[in-house]
């Protein structure tokens, strides 16, 4: 009697449970780990979920796989914690010039030091075109390039985690830092905790996960090309800063600032964000955000020994200074508001 093949999930299972139900975060983890390169994202109006080119080895050839299903963060119960576990919470700022830094530039300082000292050899993050503000997933290997690309990105169409395939498989880096919003952090943590054979290259290569506070991400086409250009007549090339602190704050290169209530932006939020309850990136090694710290500082929630090591290294090198009071009240307020989605 022939041995029965093990049953594995396919992208069709992921499609029925996550993509078709509006749960997809757009993190791109499934795209990164697909061994057949069968999954991809389209840009434009139809970018809410991944697409398949039809050649899934598990679905077509009955080859056991299930890697995409293994790493999807939306198959897990959404968290119900505000701040999560941590070793310390502090405020930090970069001790060198970062032209487009967000808050204190602490994230850039930590990562630049990690690259310069060899703690990591690549950083997977999101950059953007300064003319159009269109975001791009990128692998950065030099601190100078990282500093030049500093700044938070709230408009989104490109899946961040999918760039991991370039870093791990194509370029074969083995000490990678990943920077991302909570859904990205959740996906990467699933990779690190997985025993799946097809996920193991990622598990062996990712060393550090830096999470960014996040209320929601906005669809690029709907926010920039739609809302800002059409309704507010704002040219993307003139925008020098976008920030979200309970509202959308846009600063132009001439200093003019626009403040848009988040209630007016509901139609630009990516659909999968409406179910996320994680504000502070609970599964990161270090979580970072602009809220809670004095002006010119970044709030840093150090969660693991790995995170503590990278923080202390950046301080020792003189690239980062830490200290100052952090107001947990505003962080907990925003985290509570996001957590309320769990009850809806």
């Amino acid at each position: 009697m022939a041995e029965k093949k093990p049953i594995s999930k396919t992208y069709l299972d992921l499609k029925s449970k996550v993509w078709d139900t509006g749960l997809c975060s757009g993190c791109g983890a499934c795209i990164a780990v697909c061994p057949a390169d069968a999954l991809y994202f389209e840009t434009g109006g139809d970018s809410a979920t991944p697409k398949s080119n039809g050649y899934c080895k598990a679905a077509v050839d009955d080859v056991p796989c299930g890697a995409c299903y293994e790493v999807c963060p939306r198959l897990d119960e959404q968290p119900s914690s505000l701040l999560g576990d941590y070793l310390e919470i502090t405020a930090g700022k970069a001790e060198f010039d970062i032209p487009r830094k967000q808050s204190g530039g602490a994230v850039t300082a930590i990562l630049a030091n990690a690259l310069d000292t060899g703690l990591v050899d690549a950083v997977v993050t999101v950059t953007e075109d300064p003319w159009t503000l269109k975001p791009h997933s990128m692998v950065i290997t030099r601190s100078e390039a990282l500093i030049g690309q500093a700044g938070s990105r709230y408009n989104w169409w490109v899946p961040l985690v999918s760039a991991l395939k370039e870093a791990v498989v194509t370029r074969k880096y083995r000490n990678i830092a990943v920077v991302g919003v909570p859904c990205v952090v959740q996906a990467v943590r699933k990779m690190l905790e997985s025993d799946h054979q097809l996920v193991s290259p990622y598990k062996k290569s990712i060393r550090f996960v830096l999470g960014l506070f996040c209320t929601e991400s906005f669809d690029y086409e709907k926010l920039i090309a739609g809302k800002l250009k059409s309704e507010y007549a704002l040219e993307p090339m003139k925008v020098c800063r976008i920030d979200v602190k309970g509202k959308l704050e846009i600063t132009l290169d001439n200093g003019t600032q626009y403040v848009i209530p988040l209630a007016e932006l509901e139609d630009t939020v990516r659909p999968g964000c409406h179910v996320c309850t994680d504000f502070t990136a609970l599964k990161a090694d270090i979580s970072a955000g602009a809220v809670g710290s004095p002006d010119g500082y970044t709030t840093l929630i150090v969660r693991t020994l790995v995170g503590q090591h990278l923080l202390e290294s950046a301080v020792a090198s003189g690239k980062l200074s830490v200290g100052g009071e952090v107001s947990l009240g505003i962080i907990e307020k925003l985290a509570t508001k996001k957590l309320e989605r769990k009850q809806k």
Side-chain angles (χ1 to χ4, degrees):
M1 183 176 179
E3 183 180 352
K4 187 176 181 180
K5 291 183 178 180
I7 298 174
S8 66
K9 300 291 186 179
T10 75
Y11 84 93
L12 294 174
D13 297 292
L14 195 59
K15 182 177 184 297
S16 64
K17 286 197 172 184
V18 178
W19 304 353
D20 293 346
T21 56
L23 298 179
C24 178
S25 69
C27 70
C30 57
I31 298 173
V33 300
C34 177
D37 291 328
L39 303 179
Y40 63 96
F41 261 98
E42 288 183 348
T43 61
D46 196 21
S47 63
T49 64
K51 307 292 183 185
S52 172
N53 63 15
Y55 187 59
C56 167
K57 290 186 177 182
V60 177
D61 297 332
D62 201 24
V63 175
C65 183
C68 61
Y69 198 89
E70 176 81 3
V71 300
C72 179
R74 287 295 194 252
L75 291 167
D76 295 339
E77 178 74 14
Q78 280 294 303
S80 56
S81 174
L82 297 181
L83 298 179
D85 297 329
Y86 59 87
L87 301 177
E88 67 171 312
I89 299 179
T90 187
K93 66 174 181 176
E95 290 298 330
F96 57 92
D97 184 47
I98 303 175
R100 293 175 64 88
K101 68 181 179 182
Q102 200 83 3
S103 62
V107 168
T108 302
I110 292 170
L111 294 170
N113 176 74
L115 284 170
D116 288 342
T117 58
L119 287 170
V120 302
D121 51 19
V123 176
V124 174
T125 186
V126 170
T127 64
E128 69 184 7
D129 184 320
W131 293 90
T132 64
L133 299 185
K134 180 171 285 190
H136 301 276
S137 185
M138 181 174 286
V139 181
I140 297 177
T141 58
R142 295 182 302 106
S143 61
E144 296 85 359
L146 184 78
I147 293 166
Q149 295 289 345
S152 297
R153 275 85 199 189
Y154 296 99
N155 61 89
W156 177 283
W157 68 261
V158 62
L160 168 63
V161 182
S162 64
L164 270 176
K165 179 166 285 186
E166 178 190 348
V168 174
V169 178
T170 305
R171 301 172 69 175
K172 301 186 184 309
Y173 290 114
R174 291 297 177 261
N175 294 291
I176 298 170
V178 181
V179 187
V181 291
C183 57
V184 167
V185 172
Q186 291 171 13
V188 172
R189 189 59 64 186
K190 291 196 74 170
M191 293 180 184
L192 293 172
E193 294 174 352
S194 173
D195 292 324
H196 196 294
Q197 183 178 1
L198 293 173
V199 181
S200 63
Y202 300 88
K203 181 176 182 177
K204 294 175 182 177
S205 302
I206 299 168
R207 295 287 179 257
F208 176 59
V209 187
L210 200 153
L212 306 174
F213 294 0
C214 179
T215 51
E216 58 265 301
S217 291
F218 304 96
D219 182 87
Y220 170 79
E221 298 290 345
K222 294 178 180 177
L223 177 65
I224 304 299
K227 185 74 68 173
L228 298 190
K229 287 192 71 172
S230 300
E231 295 187 25
Y232 288 86
L234 298 181
E235 287 297 329
M237 71 181 74
K238 296 185 178 297
V239 175
C240 67
R241 180 186 175 97
I242 295 178
D243 202 357
V244 178
K245 296 181 179 178
K247 54 188 176 296
L248 186 70
E249 299 177 356
I250 300 170
T251 305
L252 304 185
D253 53 13
N254 64 3
T256 303
Q257 188 175 71
Y258 291 79
V259 178
I260 305 175
L262 294 182
E264 293 185 16
L265 302 173
E266 278 296 317
D267 59 341
T268 70
V269 175
R270 289 190 61 85
C273 292
H274 294 298
V275 300
C276 179
T277 64
D278 186 353
F279 174 66
T280 59
L282 299 165
K283 292 185 177 293
D285 292 303
I286 295 178
S287 301
V291 297
S293 290
D295 288 343
Y297 283 82
T298 304
T299 297
L300 299 170
I301 303 178
V302 183
R303 302 188 182 278
T304 68
L305 293 176
V306 170
Q308 188 174 58
H309 179 53
L310 265 72
L311 179 78
E312 291 174 351
S313 177
V315 172
S317 72
K319 286 186 171 66
L320 178 74
S321 62
V322 295
E325 186 175 348
V326 175
S327 174
L328 296 182
I330 182 61
I331 301 173
E332 291 176 337
K333 180 179 178 181
L334 292 174
T336 298
K337 186 174 181 179
K338 195 169 183 181
L339 190 59
E340 289 173 353
R341 297 173 179 174
K342 194 178 183 72
Q343 281 76 48
K344 291 181 180 179

